[in-house]
Amino acid sequence: MQTSAIIVAAGRGTRLGGDIPKQFQMLQGRPVLAHTVSAFQRHPRVSQVIVVAHPDDSDLLAACLGSGDATIVHGGATRDLSVQAGLAALPEDTGHVLIHDAARPLVSARIIDDVLDALAGHPGAAPALAVTDALWRGDGGKVVAPHPRDGLFRAQTPQGFHLDAIRAAHAAHPGGAADDVEVALAHGLDVAIVRGDEDNLKLTFPGDFTRAERLLRGNTMDIRTGNGFDVHRFGPGDHVTLCGIAIPHGRGLQGHSDADVGMHALTDAIYGALAQGDIGQHFPPSDPQWKGAASHIFLTHAAGLARDMGFTLTHADVTLICEEPKIGPHAAEMKGELARIMGIDATRVSVKATTSERLGFAGRKEGIAAIATATLVQT
């Protein structure tokens, strides 16, 4: 007996926001709909996948689904009409149909199996989770009364049916149902409840995408380490700026910006961990607006980019290589300033110094070099 899956993907998803419907927005590098279709395509008991889509989404569908991934049919103005369009497109040798929301991309093979197994003894079956939280009825922003939660469930999809039974149920229904179980019940069909899954969430609000990203990554952590290296020569001046701290000195460091060699190395370490180039890519020295710029601008940008990409800066280590000036008396202040700029605790920042044993340009007191390492974690 053939089992087909209908993916209802004609909605607009206005509560989520964005320039395109939520089923085409990116989740872990792929459109949501691609994740959803793949879950059914790779299931050995599902022989066909039909995607019911809005007629205006043809280009989005073409970019989302590969050739042969699914059969595309146009949906209607309501969910009921879209499901009916999908049902009409099924071949007659279909025995069971699974109707699933496109915005539930994390459906598991276990749920699909449980629904199909339940159809052996019932004309309909659907996953659900028992309500465990206390329930209230409210009005005007206030609690009016408690509401019993006994026997209440949170509905999920896929909702499975014998094809002839759900076709008849939809044909008799006046429309406006929230889901296909409501249609089935109105027609007198027996619908079994199978165990749902908290991970089988429906993407409705922006925070749902964050949770789905985390679930798709599983329990693994994305740990990135980047390194940076920079050199600046000595020139005229009465101080050097290192890791954001001005230190009196008989010469200054020369550079397009303020020549803070330590902060430059650390900034490049963060960009490196993110695979986002270096300072010169984000702040070109050919651009006159960065002439003499304070280096905290660069470090602030790198740390902000890490946060925007979902990473936490867990550790930063800077080593200054020079014969002079002495770094030790200023190291604690440098740590504090770097931590402040990056928005992390000073206990996660290390600043230290070494000499080159009077070898090379640093040993000849011609300039200062710095190496830095940054560790980023995305969970």
Side-chain angles (χ1 to χ4, degrees), residues 16 44 56 86 162 273 283 318 334 338 370 377:
L16 181 69
D56 293 342
H162 296 182
F283 302 93
V318 179
M334 292 178 182
L338 292 177
V377 176

Side-chain angles (χ1 to χ4, degrees), residues 118-119 121-126 160-162 165 181 183-193:
L119 291 179
H122 305 270
F161 305 94
H162 296 182
V181 167
V183 174
L185 293 176
H187 198 61
L189 299 182
D190 177 31
V191 179
I193 298 175

